[in-house]
Amino acid sequence: MKVSKVFAVPYAVWVLVFTIIPLGLVIGFALTDSDGGFTLQNLFDMSDYMAVLFRSILFAIIATVICLVLAFPAAYIISRAKSFNQSSLIVLIMVPMWTNFILRTYAWMTLLESNGLINKFLGLFGIGPLNLINNGGAVILGMVYNYLPFMILPLYSVMVKIDSSVIEAARDLGSNNFNLVRRVILPLSMPGINSGIIAVFIPSVSTFVISRMLGGGTNDLIGDIIESQFLGTSYNPHLGSAMALVLMIVVIFLMSLFNQFGSEEEAML
């Protein structure tokens, strides 16, 4: 056996144990009933939760767009900074990720609640208390805060490789800031944009902790419904698997659609 094949064995085992087998179990549960018989009823029952699925997709798209708008200039600024400053800024971005996910989200609860720090500060000016929590805006805010580093880091890793001479050449040829971004930086950053969108959209559309803690139970996402089918009082792993399967198909479709659109945009640029 070749050495390259030997080194590939651990990866193949990993994929088999943690990808193929779990995926097979999800498909198996989704297409069977409690007696083990084949059925499509679980997929039909998914229609009762289409509104929740659409809400999840909408919230995830909004959060992804906001992350991209915030991360693009941030990543560019970091990539153009001096080497020491780049390392310091990257560490500052990664520090919140070293804190437990639930604790980070819980911190926003203390900030946004009626007697939280934000409303107390606004109260000094006679404003409020404002309804900042238990709504869709709070859920999207939680997504943006928790997943923004997943957009910044891929963009930074691509932008830092853009040669400064390319930017200087564009400016020497009379390119203004808008055309510099549109015709030079944006096309060269597309691999990072694609990776960042995938890294933010997928966890956003399937999250359940953020919506539970910041949504107040009135903005449940599809992740909450799936989680309740396995751990909640309405235990039904077959319906939960069907939901997970449908969500996976939707995500794959949206990602392939975006990749095709992104390739056409990059070719036009």
Side-chain angles (χ1 to χ4, degrees), residues 121-152:
F121 175 76
L122 295 176
L124 297 176
F125 304 95
I127 304 175
L130 302 179
N131 182 25
L132 303 176
I133 199 170
N134 298 335
N135 53 50
V139 175
I140 294 173
L141 174 62
M143 292 178 180
V144 172
Y145 171 75
N146 282 293
Y147 302 130
L148 181 59
F150 298 156
M151 183 70 75
I152 294 178

Short mmCIF file of all heavy atoms in Angstrom, two decimals, residues 121-152:
data_model
loop_
_atom_site.label_atom_id
_atom_site.label_comp_id
_atom_site.label_asym_id
_atom_site.label_seq_id
_atom_site.Cartn_x
_atom_site.Cartn_y
_atom_site.Cartn_z
N PHE A 121 -28.66 52.99 30.65
CA PHE A 121 -27.91 54.12 30.07
C PHE A 121 -28.86 55.07 29.35
O PHE A 121 -28.76 56.30 29.50
CB PHE A 121 -26.85 53.60 29.11
CG PHE A 121 -26.11 54.69 28.39
CD1 PHE A 121 -25.13 55.43 29.04
CD2 PHE A 121 -26.38 54.97 27.06
CE1 PHE A 121 -24.45 56.44 28.37
CE2 PHE A 121 -25.71 55.97 26.39
CZ PHE A 121 -24.73 56.71 27.05
N LEU A 122 -29.80 54.52 28.56
CA LEU A 122 -30.76 55.37 27.86
C LEU A 122 -31.66 56.09 28.84
O LEU A 122 -32.12 57.22 28.58
CB LEU A 122 -31.59 54.53 26.89
CG LEU A 122 -30.83 53.90 25.72
CD1 LEU A 122 -31.75 53.01 24.90
CD2 LEU A 122 -30.20 54.97 24.83
N GLY A 123 -31.93 55.45 29.99
CA GLY A 123 -32.78 56.08 30.99
C GLY A 123 -32.18 57.35 31.56
O GLY A 123 -32.90 58.23 32.03
N LEU A 124 -30.86 57.48 31.51
CA LEU A 124 -30.21 58.70 31.98
C LEU A 124 -30.61 59.90 31.14
O LEU A 124 -30.54 61.05 31.60
CB LEU A 124 -28.68 58.53 31.95
CG LEU A 124 -28.10 57.44 32.86
CD1 LEU A 124 -26.60 57.32 32.65
CD2 LEU A 124 -28.43 57.72 34.33
N PHE A 125 -31.02 59.64 29.90
CA PHE A 125 -31.45 60.70 28.99
C PHE A 125 -32.97 60.73 28.83
O PHE A 125 -33.49 61.39 27.93
CB PHE A 125 -30.80 60.51 27.62
CG PHE A 125 -29.30 60.44 27.67
CD1 PHE A 125 -28.65 59.21 27.72
CD2 PHE A 125 -28.54 61.60 27.69
CE1 PHE A 125 -27.27 59.13 27.77
CE2 PHE A 125 -27.15 61.53 27.75
CZ PHE A 125 -26.52 60.31 27.79
N GLY A 126 -33.66 60.01 29.70
CA GLY A 126 -35.12 59.99 29.66
C GLY A 126 -35.69 59.16 28.54
O GLY A 126 -36.84 59.36 28.15
N ILE A 127 -34.93 58.21 28.03
CA ILE A 127 -35.37 57.35 26.93
C ILE A 127 -35.64 55.95 27.47
O ILE A 127 -34.85 55.40 28.23
CB ILE A 127 -34.32 57.27 25.81
CG1 ILE A 127 -33.98 58.67 25.30
CG2 ILE A 127 -34.80 56.39 24.68
CD1 ILE A 127 -32.85 58.68 24.29
N GLY A 128 -36.76 55.37 27.05
CA GLY A 128 -37.02 53.98 27.37
C GLY A 128 -37.88 53.77 28.60
O GLY A 128 -38.50 54.71 29.09
N PRO A 129 -37.91 52.52 29.06
CA PRO A 129 -37.13 51.39 28.54
C PRO A 129 -37.63 50.88 27.19
O PRO A 129 -38.83 50.82 26.96
CB PRO A 129 -37.28 50.32 29.62
CG PRO A 129 -38.60 50.62 30.24
CD PRO A 129 -38.75 52.11 30.20
N LEU A 130 -36.69 50.56 26.31
CA LEU A 130 -37.03 50.07 24.98
C LEU A 130 -37.11 48.55 24.98
O LEU A 130 -36.47 47.87 25.79
CB LEU A 130 -35.96 50.52 23.98
CG LEU A 130 -35.73 52.03 23.85
CD1 LEU A 130 -34.63 52.31 22.83
CD2 LEU A 130 -37.01 52.76 23.47
N ASN A 131 -37.91 48.03 24.07
CA ASN A 131 -38.07 46.58 23.93
C ASN A 131 -36.95 46.05 23.04
O ASN A 131 -37.08 45.96 21.82
CB ASN A 131 -39.43 46.25 23.33
CG ASN A 131 -39.66 44.75 23.22
OD1 ASN A 131 -39.08 43.97 23.97
ND2 ASN A 131 -40.50 44.34 22.28
N LEU A 132 -35.82 45.72 23.64
CA LEU A 132 -34.63 45.32 22.89
C LEU A 132 -34.43 43.82 22.83
O LEU A 132 -33.54 43.35 22.11
CB LEU A 132 -33.38 45.98 23.51
CG LEU A 132 -33.38 47.50 23.60
CD1 LEU A 132 -32.13 47.99 24.31
CD2 LEU A 132 -33.50 48.13 22.22
N ILE A 133 -35.22 43.07 23.59
CA ILE A 133 -35.02 41.62 23.66
C ILE A 133 -36.35 40.92 23.38
O ILE A 133 -37.40 41.56 23.33
CB ILE A 133 -34.46 41.22 25.04
CG1 ILE A 133 -33.83 39.83 24.99
CG2 ILE A 133 -35.52 41.34 26.12
CD1 ILE A 133 -33.06 39.46 26.23
N ASN A 134 -36.27 39.61 23.18
CA ASN A 134 -37.46 38.79 22.88
C ASN A 134 -38.13 39.21 21.58
O ASN A 134 -39.35 39.30 21.49
CB ASN A 134 -38.47 38.85 24.04
CG ASN A 134 -37.90 38.31 25.33
OD1 ASN A 134 -36.98 37.49 25.31
ND2 ASN A 134 -38.42 38.76 26.45
N ASN A 135 -37.31 39.50 20.58
CA ASN A 135 -37.83 39.83 19.25
C ASN A 135 -36.83 39.36 18.20
O ASN A 135 -35.71 38.93 18.53
CB ASN A 135 -38.12 41.33 19.13
CG ASN A 135 -36.92 42.19 19.51
OD1 ASN A 135 -35.81 41.97 19.03
ND2 ASN A 135 -37.14 43.15 20.40
N GLY A 136 -37.24 39.47 16.95
CA GLY A 136 -36.38 39.00 15.87
C GLY A 136 -35.08 39.78 15.76
O GLY A 136 -34.03 39.21 15.42
N GLY A 137 -35.12 41.08 16.05
CA GLY A 137 -33.91 41.88 15.99
C GLY A 137 -32.85 41.41 16.96
O GLY A 137 -31.65 41.38 16.63
N ALA A 138 -33.27 41.00 18.16
CA ALA A 138 -32.32 40.50 19.15
C ALA A 138 -31.70 39.19 18.69
O ALA A 138 -30.50 38.94 18.92
CB ALA A 138 -33.02 40.32 20.49
N VAL A 139 -32.50 38.33 18.05
CA VAL A 139 -31.98 37.06 17.54
C VAL A 139 -30.92 37.31 16.46
O VAL A 139 -29.84 36.70 16.47
CB VAL A 139 -33.11 36.19 16.98
CG1 VAL A 139 -32.56 34.91 16.35
CG2 VAL A 139 -34.10 35.83 18.08
N ILE A 140 -31.21 38.22 15.54
CA ILE A 140 -30.25 38.54 14.47
C ILE A 140 -28.99 39.16 15.06
O ILE A 140 -27.87 38.86 14.63
CB ILE A 140 -30.91 39.48 13.45
CG1 ILE A 140 -32.04 38.74 12.72
CG2 ILE A 140 -29.88 39.98 12.44
CD1 ILE A 140 -32.86 39.63 11.80
N LEU A 141 -29.16 40.03 16.07
CA LEU A 141 -28.01 40.62 16.74
C LEU A 141 -27.12 39.54 17.35
O LEU A 141 -25.89 39.59 17.24
CB LEU A 141 -28.47 41.59 17.82
CG LEU A 141 -27.38 42.20 18.71
CD1 LEU A 141 -26.41 43.03 17.89
CD2 LEU A 141 -28.01 43.05 19.82
N GLY A 142 -27.74 38.55 17.99
CA GLY A 142 -26.97 37.46 18.57
C GLY A 142 -26.22 36.67 17.52
O GLY A 142 -25.07 36.25 17.73
N MET A 143 -26.85 36.45 16.38
CA MET A 143 -26.18 35.74 15.28
C MET A 143 -24.98 36.53 14.79
O MET A 143 -23.88 35.97 14.61
CB MET A 143 -27.16 35.52 14.12
CG MET A 143 -28.28 34.54 14.39
SD MET A 143 -29.37 34.43 12.94
CE MET A 143 -30.57 33.23 13.50
N VAL A 144 -25.17 37.83 14.57
CA VAL A 144 -24.09 38.66 14.05
C VAL A 144 -22.92 38.67 15.03
O VAL A 144 -21.75 38.52 14.64
CB VAL A 144 -24.59 40.09 13.78
CG1 VAL A 144 -23.42 41.02 13.44
CG2 VAL A 144 -25.61 40.09 12.65
N TYR A 145 -23.22 38.86 16.31
CA TYR A 145 -22.15 38.93 17.30
C TYR A 145 -21.36 37.62 17.38
O TYR A 145 -20.12 37.62 17.42
CB TYR A 145 -22.73 39.27 18.68
CG TYR A 145 -21.71 39.15 19.79
CD1 TYR A 145 -20.73 40.13 19.96
CD2 TYR A 145 -21.72 38.06 20.64
CE1 TYR A 145 -19.79 40.01 20.96
CE2 TYR A 145 -20.78 37.94 21.65
CZ TYR A 145 -19.81 38.92 21.81
OH TYR A 145 -18.88 38.80 22.80
N ASN A 146 -22.06 36.50 17.40
CA ASN A 146 -21.40 35.21 17.59
C ASN A 146 -20.67 34.72 16.35
O ASN A 146 -19.66 34.01 16.47
CB ASN A 146 -22.43 34.16 18.03
CG ASN A 146 -22.79 34.28 19.50
OD1 ASN A 146 -21.96 34.04 20.38
ND2 ASN A 146 -24.02 34.68 19.78
N TYR A 147 -21.18 35.08 15.16
CA TYR A 147 -20.61 34.52 13.94
C TYR A 147 -19.81 35.51 13.12
O TYR A 147 -19.24 35.12 12.08
CB TYR A 147 -21.73 33.93 13.08
CG TYR A 147 -22.52 32.86 13.79
CD1 TYR A 147 -23.91 32.88 13.82
CD2 TYR A 147 -21.88 31.82 14.46
CE1 TYR A 147 -24.64 31.91 14.48
CE2 TYR A 147 -22.59 30.84 15.13
CZ TYR A 147 -23.97 30.89 15.14
OH TYR A 147 -24.67 29.92 15.80
N LEU A 148 -19.70 36.76 13.54
CA LEU A 148 -18.93 37.75 12.80
C LEU A 148 -17.47 37.33 12.60
O LEU A 148 -16.92 37.53 11.51
CB LEU A 148 -19.01 39.11 13.49
CG LEU A 148 -18.28 40.27 12.81
CD1 LEU A 148 -18.81 40.50 11.40
CD2 LEU A 148 -18.41 41.55 13.64
N PRO A 149 -16.80 36.78 13.62
CA PRO A 149 -15.41 36.34 13.39
C PRO A 149 -15.28 35.31 12.27
O PRO A 149 -14.24 35.25 11.60
CB PRO A 149 -15.00 35.74 14.74
CG PRO A 149 -15.87 36.43 15.74
CD PRO A 149 -17.19 36.62 15.04
N PHE A 150 -16.32 34.48 12.05
CA PHE A 150 -16.27 33.49 10.99
C PHE A 150 -16.30 34.13 9.61
O PHE A 150 -15.95 33.47 8.62
CB PHE A 150 -17.45 32.51 11.12
CG PHE A 150 -17.45 31.73 12.40
CD1 PHE A 150 -18.61 31.20 12.92
CD2 PHE A 150 -16.28 31.51 13.09
CE1 PHE A 150 -18.62 30.48 14.09
CE2 PHE A 150 -16.25 30.79 14.27
CZ PHE A 150 -17.43 30.27 14.78
N MET A 151 -16.70 35.39 9.54
CA MET A 151 -16.67 36.12 8.28
C MET A 151 -15.37 36.91 8.15
O MET A 151 -14.79 36.99 7.04
CB MET A 151 -17.86 37.08 8.19
CG MET A 151 -17.96 37.84 6.88
SD MET A 151 -18.41 36.81 5.46
CE MET A 151 -20.16 36.57 5.79
N ILE A 152 -14.89 37.47 9.24
CA ILE A 152 -13.69 38.29 9.19
C ILE A 152 -12.46 37.46 8.85
O ILE A 152 -11.64 37.84 8.00
CB ILE A 152 -13.48 39.04 10.52
CG1 ILE A 152 -14.60 40.06 10.74
CG2 ILE A 152 -12.13 39.74 10.53
CD1 ILE A 152 -14.49 40.82 12.05
#
